[in-house]
Amino acid sequence: SEAVSGVEFTDVVARGLPARDGKTSVLKPLFPNAIDRILQPQKADNNKVDMRDLGNILCVSQKTAVAQRSAPSKGRTGYTVTNSPLIPNMGEWKEIKLGVNTCISPQNENIILATVNGQPKFENEIMNVDDTFQTKGVNVGTGNVNYAGAVIVNGDVTESMQVIATGDITINGFVESATIRAGGDIIITEGAMGKMNEEDCKLHAKGSVFVQHGQGLDIVAGKNLNVRKQLAYSRVKTGGTVTIGDPDKPMGSVFASAIHCGSTLYAGTVGAVSGSSLTVDFSEGVNLLNTRYDAILKALKQLRENNFDHGVKLRELHSKHVPNTLINQLNKMDSIFESEKHLLNWLENVEKEMRKAKIEYEKNAKVVAYKELFPGVSIKINKRTWQSNKEYFKSVIRVVDGKWQCIPLLK
């Protein structure tokens, strides 16, 4: 068909498909980490989940395969608008980084084996197998435990006792007014309790902490905290989220505690009918980000000034006659100047990422109450504070346009 002269129109005359490069190889664990396993209750015979059955504590024997590297993908072939093929780049093999007490299988270079009997742990794409110490309980009869590896306690930890380990600590029992310190995660399949308002039961982990219920606790977790039922009269400091209840549907309760949180707090009931004080403070994380950001801005400003001055001086030198004896020195100065420019570009990208991190942190600094939130709850980021003076149902407290707001949950 013909078109009138001067009229513009669009139509598809040909289609192409860009090639998609293959993905690199991926190292996958063959066993779940203890903390991940404990957060997934076991299935009962009727295909329902038994919340009380948290599974057996997992240890592997020597020469057991604990991780496997999958092959890189070939990618997807594309084609041009004239139907010429576009060949993708195949994914690359990513080098395996071996962790503690592991080796590459002599029969298969893509399989990682345990070299000792112990507890597998996969983190940051590295598989470790921690030497494991097991005991039926920790009390005055057994003495304190201090072990370089993972510790499994199949029983209770009694008052004033200590369990210290460089790896994960799993306690298949109850903890009463004791000190638990882990270089990895802390898992307590029953409860933990200290004396009221004394927080003399200490749970300190560089990783995450899981406990069924807690009262009178002093909890420090480098990552996340999950209390399955209830947390009360405790002091908490985490680098990540605080979840009170099942991770998929947090309906537990938290009250009468002081919580310093590095990300979102999820719970069913926040606060108590009595109006007991509960504080949730997000200040520490944002202050740390601000300190780092200010240091980067200061370094960036200085480097920009230096780079500008060096560029001016180098251009002056290049505009003049330079003796042959000084050419090599001038070339070195040019090379240093280029390195300085690369450093400046890198630092500018770091500044952008830090700015994004600050925005993301404030976005995640919120309290989600899936059931109700009572009076007596205080939420803050430095001087910005929100106080609950009445009861709210199914709400999220978050920062909107620089101010705290209580927003009803629609679902």
Side-chain angles (χ1 to χ4, degrees):
S1 61
E2 295 182 356
V4 179
S5 177
V7 174
E8 294 183 2
F9 67 94
T10 58
D11 201 357
V12 177
V13 295
R15 294 181 185 274
L17 181 69
R20 182 186 295 159
D21 290 342
K23 297 180 180 179
T24 58
S25 62
V26 177
L27 185 65
K28 296 181 179 179
L30 298 179
F31 297 94
N33 290 344
I35 190 73
D36 298 325
R37 184 178 176 84
I38 215 74
L39 293 176
Q40 294 293 327
Q42 305 302 295
K43 287 185 177 180
D45 294 336
N46 56 2
N47 288 327
K48 293 183 179 180
V49 169
D50 185 353
M51 299 302 296
R52 294 169 295 180
D53 183 5
L54 299 174
N56 296 321
I57 298 170
L58 180 67
C59 284
V60 298
S61 58
Q62 187 180 12
K63 297 183 179 179
T64 299
V66 291
Q68 182 173 10
R69 180 174 61 174
S70 63
S73 63
K74 295 179 180 179
R76 182 191 66 190
T77 302
Y79 52 85
T80 67
V81 292
T82 59
N83 209 31
S84 297
L86 296 173
I87 307 302
N89 295 316
M90 185 173 177
E92 297 180 350
W93 285 97
K94 193 171 184 180
E95 182 183 359
I96 293 177
K97 295 180 180 179
L98 289 176
V100 177
N101 298 324
T102 60
C103 68
I104 302 293
S105 169
Q107 285 75 39
N108 187 338
E109 63 180 7
N110 295 316
I111 296 290
I112 295 179
L113 302 178
T115 59
V116 298
N117 299 337
Q119 193 173 67
K121 184 163 186 179
F122 188 73
E123 195 169 29
N124 299 324
E125 299 185 1
I126 298 176
M127 174 59 78
N128 296 290
V129 178
D130 291 332
D131 280 314
T132 305
F133 173 80
Q134 297 195 44
T135 178
K136 291 184 178 180
V138 178
N139 48 52
V140 291
T142 64
N144 295 325
V145 174
N146 192 332
Y147 191 71
V151 171
I152 297 174
V153 181
N154 291 311
D156 298 336
V157 180
T158 60
E159 188 173 356
S160 300
M161 301 308 296
Q162 293 185 1
V163 179
I164 301 171
T166 58
D168 293 348
I169 297 176
T170 303
I171 299 169
N172 195 18
F174 191 83
V175 176
E176 181 181 1
S177 298
T179 297
I180 316 294
R181 297 182 188 273
D185 302 323
I186 293 174
I187 300 160
I188 303 172
T189 60
E190 295 186 16
M193 182 178 291
K195 294 182 177 64
M196 192 74 72
N197 299 319
E198 289 187 20
E199 296 105 10
D200 64 340
C201 188
K202 294 177 169 51
L203 310 178
H204 292 190
K206 289 185 178 179
S208 297
V209 173
F210 169 88
V211 61
Q212 278 285 352
H213 56 86
Q215 181 171 302
L217 306 181
D218 174 27
I219 300 175
V220 178
K223 294 182 179 178
N224 305 317
L225 168 65
N226 180 221
V227 181
R228 186 55 61 88
K229 295 177 181 177
Q230 178 179 288
L231 179 68
Y233 303 102
S234 298
R235 182 172 61 246
V236 175
K237 180 180 177 181
T238 73
T241 60
V242 173
T243 304
I244 312 297
D246 185 82
D248 295 329
K249 190 177 181 182
M251 296 302 287
S253 59
V254 55
F255 59 91
S257 297
I259 298 173
H260 292 264
C261 206
S263 190
T264 308
L265 184 148
Y266 301 96
T269 302
V270 179
V273 177
S274 63
S276 58
S277 174
L278 171 68
T279 61
V280 183
D281 194 341
F282 297 99
S283 303
E284 187 168 337
V286 79
N287 290 340
L288 180 60
L289 284 172
N290 284 336
T291 300
R292 291 175 178 173
Y293 186 68
D294 290 343
I296 288 170
L297 281 182
K298 185 178 179 180
L300 190 57
K301 179 183 178 183
Q302 187 63 55
L303 191 57
R304 281 170 177 162
E305 291 174 356
N306 293 344
N307 189 254
F308 178 80
D309 292 341
H310 295 161
V312 171
K313 291 176 182 177
L314 275 174
R315 284 191 292 272
E316 288 178 1
L317 287 173
H318 280 288
S319 66
K320 297 176 181 178
H321 174 70
V322 179
N324 291 335
T325 55
L326 298 178
I327 290 295
N328 285 339
Q329 286 183 305
L330 184 59
N331 289 338
K332 287 181 181 179
M333 292 172 68
D334 286 336
S335 178
I336 293 171
F337 180 67
E338 286 301 315
S339 297
E340 189 178 63
K341 284 168 62 176
H342 286 305
L343 178 60
L344 180 60
N345 289 334
W346 174 81
L347 202 55
E348 285 176 340
N349 288 331
V350 171
E351 185 272 334
K352 290 177 183 177
E353 291 302 317
M354 285 296 296
R355 197 161 4 109
K356 290 179 183 177
K358 288 175 63 179
I359 295 171
E360 191 67 19
Y361 184 89
E362 193 161 292
K363 178 181 175 182
N364 291 324
K366 60 187 177 183
V367 174
V368 182
Y370 287 102
K371 187 178 179 182
E372 54 198 346
L373 186 147
F374 288 103
V377 177
S378 174
I379 305 169
K380 63 181 291 188
I381 298 180
N382 293 324
K383 294 182 179 180
R384 290 180 290 175
T385 302
W386 183 88
Q387 298 275 355
S388 173
N389 52 18
K390 65 176 185 178
E391 184 175 350
Y392 298 86
F393 292 97
K394 293 185 178 181
S395 302
V396 54
I397 316 301
R398 66 189 311 166
V399 176
V400 179
D401 296 329
K403 296 180 180 180
W404 289 106
Q405 288 191 21
C406 179
I407 304 168
L409 286 174
L410 299 178
K411 294 183 180 180

